[in-house]
Amino acid sequence: MAESILMPRLSDTMTEGVIAAWHKKVGDTVKKGDLLAEVETDKATMELESYKDGTLLHIGTDKGGKLQVNDLLAIIGNPGEDISSLVKGGGTAPAPAAEPKKETAKQAAPAKEAAAPAAAGSAIDLSKVEEVILMPRLSDTMTEGVIAGWHKKVGDTVKKGDLLADVETDKATMELESYKNGKLLYVGAQKGDKVPVNALLCIIGEEGKVDVEKLVAAAKGGVAAPAAAGETKAETAAATATVEAPAVAENSNGRVKASPLAKKLAAEKGINLSQVRGTGDGGRITKSDVDNFKPSAASASTAPAKAATSSAPVNNVPAGQVSFDDTPVSQMRKVIAKRLAESKFTAPHFYVTMSIDMDKAVESRAKINEVAKVKISFNDMVLKACALALKQHPAVNSSWLGDTIRTNHHVNIGVAVAVPDGLLVPVVRFADTKSLSQIGAEVKDFAQRAKDKKLQPSDWEGNTFTISNLGMFGVDEFTAIINPPDSCILAVGGIQQVPVVKDGVVKPGNVMKVTLSCDHRVVDGATGAAFLLTLKSLLEEPLRMLV
């Protein structure tokens, strides 16, 4: 049976998407997980995968065309199948068409079981009820959210723009704001509960004017949102709350507020909005603020990251007694497991290791930090060297897309940051154009915001290469798993003082080992080795990075 794929909301502020490229054409066979298209959102160009097997029977628009969220994007089914009703209805019929095929036999239950709840709420479409807030999709891979905490309780007065709750997605903990005024009449989940996307999250309205019991009954009856919609009116409003509410540069909760155009422009330029001074109403960041932003000024005012401390309790267990803790898997850890397993077992990895003489880098860093307002780390120097080396070796700065290999002309480097729940990879955009001071300030800010769970989707999207550094933990060398959609990742070990031979004499030297993990479908051994040679030359003679 043919199924419709609707334009999904791939970022929290997305209202429409532009088709950057189709990777399948009508008539092509499609398998679950195949890359269908690339969709340009207001924040990044995202990859859209198929969730079913079949033949691509219809596409909603050609390359360059715009589609609103929930418009018909594609139809996948059996060759020769009649899809006229789906095309005519924009993909809204039949109802199961737009849902990823995750239904079980129990969910597709006989009409007898569903009759009672449907009758109770058949007249209510919760997506069109103004007082209802449904769980929004806050990241491109989110299927459910965990309530990390409520900032309002039932009975509290809520104003437009007020922070309602913290929602843990598969990538970070996001703040959910109210898009309307009223009183919080009902919450559909408590702290720690999981809520599927489009399920009832809460009800806000005027006390006495809203039939809460009827709305809750409708939600429990399974009619919370039309299956074909995938997204809802309530979700759209919640996701765009920061656009509608009066915004300030940074409020007491540390949340940066800016106009949608300013956010989009900052993402394109790789500018961290928390470093921009807003000149709009109440300190709101506008397009002109982003245009006039000078990174050097922000670098000077960037505070050093706070030292991370471990406060994990130590359990004293009596000798000879079996004891253990079972910790539920977080959304972030689930996605890390899924994505890295797919990378490891689908991309043929090979590894190239090289030792780098860091004597001059150590000397240069010490001199730079004597005058630098932002202290430069060795990781900052490695990142800058990688950015320049990637410009000389574009094959390493590429992605495997199945039928094509994408060679990126821009250099966006992801920096792996360890957090309590797993790993985040914020992206330093256009790293080849930035100074060491800019890179240092940006990486420190990312690291702190990652630990504080303040990173936003725009912070981790669009990487073309990734660096993972365990040198600060005393690790000599290691291998890393490629971070899709990159074709390579660099594992950086610590700088070790070892005896080295220079000019026929044994002397103490500073040596750092790096290992490049490569996707053999894209990068060959000689290509990976050539990249490391360039990286080695830049780090062994840091002045070359200034040319």
Side-chain angles (χ1 to χ4, degrees), residues 51 96 134 248 306 371 376 395 402 416 457 468:
Y51 55 78
L134 306 180
V248 295
K306 297 178 182 177
V371 296
I376 304 302
S468 180

Side-chain angles (χ1 to χ4, degrees), residues 33-87:
D34 279 359
L35 185 59
L36 279 179
E38 294 173 42
V39 179
E40 181 185 344
T41 73
D42 56 341
K43 291 185 175 177
T45 299
M46 314 281 287
E47 296 180 343
L48 185 67
E49 296 181 355
S50 173
Y51 55 78
K52 68 162 292 178
D53 298 333
T55 299
L56 183 59
L57 304 176
H58 175 81
I59 60 174
T61 186
D62 294 327
K63 178 181 176 180
K66 290 183 180 180
L67 289 175
Q68 299 295 311
V69 170
N70 295 334
D71 281 354
L72 179 62
L73 180 65
I75 298 175
I76 296 176
N78 298 320
E81 192 170 352
D82 182 11
I83 59 171
S84 57
S85 61
L86 292 178
V87 175

Side-chain angles (χ1 to χ4, degrees), residues 73-149:
L73 180 65
I75 298 175
I76 296 176
N78 298 320
E81 192 170 352
D82 182 11
I83 59 171
S84 57
S85 61
L86 292 178
V87 175
K88 184 177 180 181
T92 58
E99 283 289 332
K101 207 162 189 178
K102 295 179 180 177
E103 292 187 333
T104 61
K106 183 177 179 180
Q107 288 173 319
K112 184 186 292 184
E113 292 184 21
S122 59
I124 300 177
D125 180 356
L126 293 186
S127 68
K128 297 178 180 178
V129 178
E130 185 181 355
E131 292 80 8
V132 169
I133 293 180
L134 306 180
M135 174 61 79
R137 178 174 286 113
L138 298 173
S139 81
D140 53 312
T141 54
M142 175 182 171
T143 57
E144 63 183 9
V146 177
I147 304 299

Side-chain angles (χ1 to χ4, degrees), residues 325-516:
D325 291 323
D326 286 335
T327 304
V329 179
S330 67
Q331 297 298 103
M332 182 186 296
R333 180 58 65 184
K334 286 180 182 178
V335 172
I336 289 173
K338 178 177 180 292
R339 284 173 58 83
L340 293 187
E342 288 175 352
S343 173
K344 183 66 175 177
F345 297 114
T346 59
H349 286 52
F350 75 89
Y351 310 96
V352 183
T353 300
M354 189 169 286
S355 296
I356 299 176
D357 181 353
M358 294 293 286
D359 282 350
K360 290 187 178 180
V362 171
E363 182 182 350
S364 298
R365 175 176 175 266
K367 290 180 179 179
I368 291 172
N369 284 338
E370 287 177 1
V371 296
K373 294 179 179 179
V374 177
K375 298 301 181 184
I376 304 302
S377 69
F378 288 113
N379 192 65
D380 300 332
M381 299 179 75
V382 171
L383 193 152
K384 177 66 174 178
C386 282
L388 297 176
L390 288 169
K391 295 296 287 186
Q392 296 184 43
H393 302 276
V396 179
N397 193 42
S398 58
S399 302
W400 174 263
L401 301 180
D403 295 332
T404 59
I405 294 175
R406 169 170 294 172
T407 302
N408 298 295
H409 303 300
H410 59 287
V411 177
N412 290 351
I413 298 184
V415 182
V417 177
V419 294
D421 294 331
L423 194 70
L424 289 174
V425 188
V427 178
V428 178
R429 302 178 190 281
F430 310 108
D432 56 310
T433 66
K434 295 181 177 179
S435 67
L436 282 171
S437 295
Q438 289 175 285
I439 290 171
E442 197 166 331
V443 170
K444 286 180 175 66
D445 177 65
F446 277 145
Q448 187 58 47
R449 288 198 289 132
K451 290 177 173 62
D452 294 340
K453 296 186 176 181
K454 296 294 184 181
L455 288 178
Q456 298 299 308
S458 58
D459 294 326
W460 62 66
E461 295 169 348
N463 50 289
T464 62
F465 184 85
T466 302
I467 295 173
S468 180
N469 191 340
L470 293 179
M472 66 286 292
F473 298 107
V475 174
D476 292 340
E477 62 177 303
F478 68 104
T479 59
I481 299 175
I482 296 168
N483 177 36
D486 302 346
S487 60
C488 295
I489 183 171
L490 186 73
V492 182
I495 298 175
Q496 305 293 325
Q497 284 198 328
V498 297
V500 296
V501 178
K502 291 184 179 180
D503 301 324
V505 180
V506 177
K507 299 179 180 179
N510 295 285
V511 175
M512 179 180 74
K513 289 186 178 181
V514 296
T515 300
L516 185 68

